[in-house]
Amino acid sequence: METVILAVVIAVVLLGALGGLIVGSRRKKPLPPPPPKTPDITAPPAEPHVGDEAETPRDEPRRTIEEVDLPGGPAPVVVEEPPAAPLEVPELEIPEPTAGRLVRLRARLSRSQNALGQGLLTLLSREHLDEDTWEEIEDTLLTADVGVQPTQELVERLRERVKVLGTRTPEELRGLLREELLKLVGTDVDRAVKTEPEGRKPGIVMVVGVNGTGKTTTTGKLARVLIADGRSVVLGAADTFRAAAADQLQTWGERVGAHTVRGPEAGDPASVAFDAVKEGKEMGVDVVLIDTAGRLHTKTGLMDELGKVKRVVEKHAPLDEVLLVLDATTGQNGLVQARVFAEVVDITGIVLTKLDGTAKGGIVVAVQRELGVPVKLIGLGEGADDLAPFEPEAFVDALIGD
């Protein structure tokens, strides 16, 4: 009997141990993954990435999502941000009217020219005009860069008139000198810049000159002169050799609303000039101004290229003006430059810059005699509106003073 009871107990223990092993092995098996949840369409959208901000149109309000705690959970709230402020367009400048501009600048001109006018008046006022005095008069004119031939002509006429006049009052001398200087400068020459060709548009003006004469600046100032007179302008930046030339010209144009045509740095100047005239015709503007590279007159290859620019432009239409920019402070050296340029392109007018500095007013006479073309514009300072049409009467009055 005891044996049977012992066998039953052992069987129960073995069955319990076996059951524990089975349950333990079942617990170690991984549970299957839960089924996917159905997406909640009421959930707020994901926060935008920083990069997404650039895709927002500039003129539309930018929207951001913020969470606000409400009963039942956070709810999305759309917050509208104001649109970005538009870029400011620089206000266009209104150039100073050109009518009478030289008269307004007379004081600036006369300060640097008194050596000529006042010097001559002082010499002519002497009681006895002997040979030494006339030689001093000649020296004064030559020093002022009037030139040998014009000086001799002026002195000869003064000698004759003073001999006839006899006793000379200061007013008579001033009137005498004014008349003779006006004859020398010339009052019967057409000095208008030709920008209105008959039967076609636009007028085409090419600006040439040596490096350092203020050629690009003069082109920009001339655009202001034309716009002040009610003309529309396109600028051609054909000076592709000087890195800052195109930027400089474009800045001048932007100030007054003139469009600038430019090409790649070190590109073909003739191509830029051609495109400028083409765009000017398409836009229907009044004038195209072409700024060329500052040619060194000693370099034949560069001068030949300047001739090429002229020929290419004339495939559209004839040039109406070729303006040569000269630095008035260079005196007789400027005449050497002028001769070479005149051989390459047909110069039709002269622009004398820096006439307010140490320049000598007689260069106006000398350069006109040398080229046989008139001075049409003069530069009297660094200001934007300091380029003035040349008026012989105002110029001579500034020379001799009041």
Side-chain angles (χ1 to χ4, degrees), residues 33-350:
K37 294 182 179 180
T38 304
D40 185 2
I41 61 175
T42 64
E47 288 288 336
H49 296 290
V50 175
D52 296 338
E53 197 169 310
E55 298 177 4
T56 304
R58 173 182 286 273
D59 296 330
E60 294 185 5
R62 189 160 57 94
R63 300 188 177 188
T64 58
I65 304 227
E66 298 180 359
E67 290 188 353
V68 180
D69 290 331
L70 296 174
V77 177
V78 177
V79 180
E80 291 192 0
E81 294 185 1
L87 296 175
E88 292 187 4
V89 178
E91 186 177 351
L92 295 182
E93 297 179 9
I94 301 176
E96 183 180 338
T98 58
R101 186 180 286 187
L102 184 56
V103 175
R104 293 192 296 275
L105 297 172
R106 176 179 166 181
R108 184 177 303 169
L109 178 62
S110 62
R111 282 197 298 269
S112 61
Q113 305 303 326
N114 281 342
L116 174 58
Q118 294 301 321
L120 290 176
L121 280 175
T122 300
L123 291 170
L124 290 171
S125 298
R126 289 181 180 177
E127 187 175 351
H128 300 289
L129 296 180
D130 54 17
E131 288 302 318
D132 290 339
T133 301
W134 287 113
E135 287 182 10
E136 287 185 56
I137 292 174
E138 284 189 5
D139 291 341
T140 300
L141 291 167
L142 292 173
T143 303
D145 285 330
V146 173
V148 176
Q149 187 64 33
T151 292
Q152 292 175 348
E153 293 176 10
L154 179 57
V155 169
E156 187 62 31
R157 290 203 301 268
L158 287 172
R159 276 177 176 264
E160 292 178 3
R161 296 197 62 178
V162 167
K163 186 183 298 183
V164 173
L165 188 61
T167 304
R168 306 170 301 280
T169 65
E171 292 75 17
E172 289 173 331
L173 282 175
R174 188 180 302 278
L176 170 64
L177 185 58
R178 185 180 189 275
E179 289 178 21
E180 294 302 330
L181 286 174
L182 280 175
K183 288 179 183 178
L184 210 59
V185 172
T187 58
D188 56 350
V189 181
D190 184 6
R191 300 181 185 274
V193 178
K194 301 294 187 300
T195 57
E196 300 182 65
E198 186 176 351
R200 66 173 172 85
K201 288 174 67 174
I204 307 171
V205 179
M206 187 165 75
V207 184
V208 301
V210 175
N211 286 318
T213 57
K215 180 178 46 54
T216 299
T217 299
T218 297
T219 306
K221 289 182 178 181
L222 178 55
R224 294 179 66 91
V225 168
L226 293 169
I227 289 173
D229 290 339
R231 319 298 302 286
S232 55
V233 177
V234 161
L235 297 170
D239 184 353
T240 60
F241 294 100
R242 188 164 63 89
D247 292 336
Q248 183 183 358
L249 190 65
Q250 185 168 351
T251 299
W252 278 102
E254 288 172 350
R255 290 176 181 174
V256 290
H259 175 61
T260 302
V261 177
R262 54 188 297 176
E265 186 176 336
D268 181 18
S271 176
V272 176
F274 183 87
D275 290 342
V277 178
K278 179 182 178 183
E279 289 195 31
K281 293 176 71 174
E282 292 172 351
M283 295 171 64
V285 300
D286 297 313
V287 187
V288 175
L289 298 179
I290 301 171
D291 176 36
T292 60
R295 306 300 176 189
L296 295 175
H297 61 282
T298 55
K299 296 187 177 181
T300 306
L302 293 178
M303 295 301 288
D304 290 344
E305 190 173 89
L306 185 60
K308 174 187 173 185
V309 172
K310 179 178 182 290
R311 292 191 300 273
V312 168
V313 168
E314 289 181 331
K315 291 182 179 179
H316 280 298
L319 281 168
D320 298 290
E321 286 276 9
V322 179
L323 297 177
L324 173 63
V325 180
L326 293 176
D327 183 341
T329 63
T330 61
Q332 296 296 314
N333 288 334
L335 299 182
V336 178
Q337 301 165 6
R339 293 188 196 104
V340 179
F341 277 98
E343 293 172 0
V344 179
V345 289
D346 297 325
I347 305 297
T348 59
I350 301 158

